[in-house]
Amino acid sequence: MVEWTPGTRELADLELLLSGAFHPLAGFLGHDDVHAVHERGTLKDGTPWPAPVTLYVPEAAGEVTLLDPEGVPLAVLSVTEHDEDGLTAGPVRSLGAAEHGPFARLRRTPAQVREELAGRPALAVTMRGPLDDLSEITSTAKELGAVILLLPLAYGEQGPAVVRAALKAKEQLPADTIVVSVPLAPREEPEIDLELREHVADNYGASEHLAGPEPITLPGPPHRRGLVVFFTGLSGSGKSTIARGLRDALLELGSRTVTYLDGDVVRHLLSKGLTFSKTDRDLNIRRIGFVAAEAARHGGLAICAPIAPYAQTREEVREMVESVGADFLLVHVATPLEECERRDRKGLYAKARAGLIPEFTGISDPYEEPEDADLVIDTTHIAIEAAVSRVLDTIRSGGWVR
């Protein structure tokens, strides 16, 4: 059987085909359907459909296994049509849920959302940018007696920022507001893009649809923008070692100016005199975030490796960075507590267990695991070199280094 890794847009369309968000489509379109969509806005059988959903495979016959960027099988395409240009059509069958990309917990199928709605009307809001004014949404939902369904269209470099904008909006909306991340790639013509968004909203159970603002735009291509790579994890998780390895790898490439802010070093210099109380921990992380954002403001690449145990403070750092027009990459080094404690090279966990170190993260003070990490790494069973490669590959694939 042929194996093929589709392009980014094709992978996004594949996920929507498999989830049912592109119903009534059951697979990629062939020549006749594509022609009918362009000419009449329908499939060849007359079913309304606004935009081509296509896949190009160099050689295909019988069945093709479609893989994600990490080589994980996502679906099987039963080939019904393949032309000399590579256009390949046919129904797709899922081999498991897509796991690539951030915010996996927010990716749900239309059937799952409809089940949660349980027949209640829904006001769906499709988003490609932040919602500046929530009053129209709340008043419309109240008038309809509807649940608000935020559908951030999380595609491309700005996808994570759009999802975060939806989560931020949810905090100001009714408690039963639902947020579902949908990887819908934008179409070039605004009218077609809007119509496709309406189809997706309908499939998610929308009684009414509102289209949010235009996409977020950041200045310049990724390799010219500032970037902060922010590692977070328990003491002994391996985050500092990975961060140093990443620094060295980037310095060897020589294409970016690199600033390295290690948690321990910062505490001895920038944050000398601070305690480990929550107030001082937050202040320490804000100082790191400020320095990193200033480095990124001028197009630099900053690497930070503090424990950063609190979600709210990490979010503040993200906002600092993005407010200066730079990008933020959160890497959760998710090595379990038992493994970190087993390593305990500095003897800190033993002292914390004995009560000699108060407010020690993971023992007597909480660590709030990130739900918005762009990359998650557990160093229990992989070499540091492999972990560094995963981070560097993510930076490369995002276009931040060439």
Side-chain angles (χ1 to χ4, degrees):
M1 183 184 295
V2 175
E3 292 185 338
W4 180 252
T5 301
T8 304
R9 178 181 290 266
E10 294 169 329
L11 279 170
D13 285 348
L14 173 63
E15 188 170 334
L16 297 175
L17 287 169
L18 296 174
S19 73
F22 272 175
H23 177 79
L25 269 58
F28 289 100
L29 302 182
H31 180 272
D32 289 347
D33 278 320
V34 170
H35 179 76
V37 167
H38 280 306
E39 292 297 316
R40 305 191 301 272
T42 71
L43 302 177
K44 64 182 180 181
D45 65 4
T47 302
W49 190 258
V53 177
T54 55
L55 175 70
Y56 287 84
V57 181
E59 295 182 7
E63 292 187 335
V64 178
T65 300
L66 302 177
L67 312 176
D68 76 4
E70 296 179 358
V72 177
L74 293 178
V76 172
L77 167 70
S78 298
V79 178
T80 58
E81 181 181 329
H82 178 77
D83 68 20
E84 58 183 13
D85 294 328
L87 180 69
T88 306
V92 289
R93 171 172 53 86
S94 176
L95 294 177
E99 296 180 357
H100 62 284
F103 296 104
R105 69 185 179 88
L106 296 177
R107 287 147 70 177
R108 301 162 65 190
T109 68
Q112 290 170 332
V113 173
R114 285 176 177 272
E115 183 178 356
E116 182 173 348
L117 289 172
R120 295 176 295 169
L123 172 64
V125 183
T126 55
M127 302 170 54
R128 291 206 187 277
L131 300 171
D132 300 322
D133 183 8
L134 301 179
S135 59
E136 180 184 3
I137 295 171
T138 52
S139 61
T140 303
K142 186 175 181 180
E143 181 182 337
L144 296 172
V147 177
I148 297 172
L149 175 60
L150 299 181
L151 300 176
L153 305 178
Y155 175 80
E157 293 173 14
Q158 301 311 317
V162 179
V163 177
R164 288 192 294 273
L167 293 173
K168 190 170 184 178
K170 184 181 187 300
E171 296 174 359
Q172 304 172 59
L173 294 170
D176 61 352
T177 296
I178 300 170
V179 178
V180 178
S181 176
V182 180
L184 179 63
R187 268 52 185 180
E188 291 181 2
E189 297 180 38
E191 297 83 0
I192 290 177
D193 189 63
L194 177 59
E195 191 174 345
L196 190 57
R197 288 161 73 166
E198 288 176 346
H199 272 273
V200 170
D202 286 345
N203 284 328
Y204 273 98
S207 309
E208 189 81 19
H209 170 238
L210 291 176
E214 289 303 302
I216 299 171
T217 56
L218 292 176
H223 70 278
R224 296 188 182 277
R225 290 203 299 266
L227 172 67
V228 173
V229 183
F230 193 96
F231 291 84
T232 175
L234 295 170
S235 177
S237 62
K239 61 187 181 302
S240 294
T241 309
I242 300 171
R244 286 194 297 270
L246 177 65
R247 173 200 61 191
D248 294 343
L250 290 169
L251 289 174
E252 288 177 18
L253 287 174
S255 61
R256 299 292 302 251
T257 301
V258 179
T259 301
Y260 176 60
L261 299 167
D262 178 73
D264 291 338
V265 174
V266 167
R267 272 206 167 266
H268 285 300
L269 298 173
L270 188 64
S271 296
K272 188 175 182 179
L274 294 184
T275 69
F276 287 88
S277 68
K278 185 178 189 307
T279 300
D280 280 2
R281 283 171 184 259
D282 286 344
L283 179 56
N284 177 54
I285 300 305
R286 290 189 191 103
R287 288 178 178 177
I288 291 173
F290 174 78
V291 174
E294 287 303 300
R297 180 196 294 272
H298 304 290
L301 191 155
I303 302 170
C304 313
I307 292 174
Y310 308 120
Q312 179 59 43
T313 318
R314 294 192 298 260
E315 181 60 29
E316 288 180 31
V317 174
R318 185 189 289 275
E319 290 175 0
M320 282 185 206
V321 173
E322 293 179 345
S323 71
V324 302
D327 296 332
F328 186 87
L329 186 71
L330 181 62
V331 181
H332 178 203
V333 184
T335 308
L337 174 62
E338 310 81 69
E339 177 63 16
C340 295
E341 196 165 358
R342 186 190 67 77
R343 297 171 182 176
D344 202 17
R345 290 180 300 169
K346 302 176 183 178
L348 299 177
Y349 284 99
K351 291 178 181 178
R353 293 286 188 192
L356 300 177
I357 304 179
E359 299 175 298
F360 190 86
T361 301
I363 304 298
S364 51
D365 204 64
Y367 177 78
E368 298 172 5
E369 294 200 355
E371 295 183 340
D372 59 342
D374 300 289
L375 182 63
V376 179
I377 301 174
D378 181 347
T379 65
T380 305
H381 300 298
I382 65 170
I384 291 299
E385 293 80 9
V388 171
S389 293
R390 286 192 61 190
V391 182
L392 187 58
D393 288 346
T394 300
I395 293 173
R396 277 198 171 108
S397 65
W400 290 293
V401 296
R402 301 171 107 183

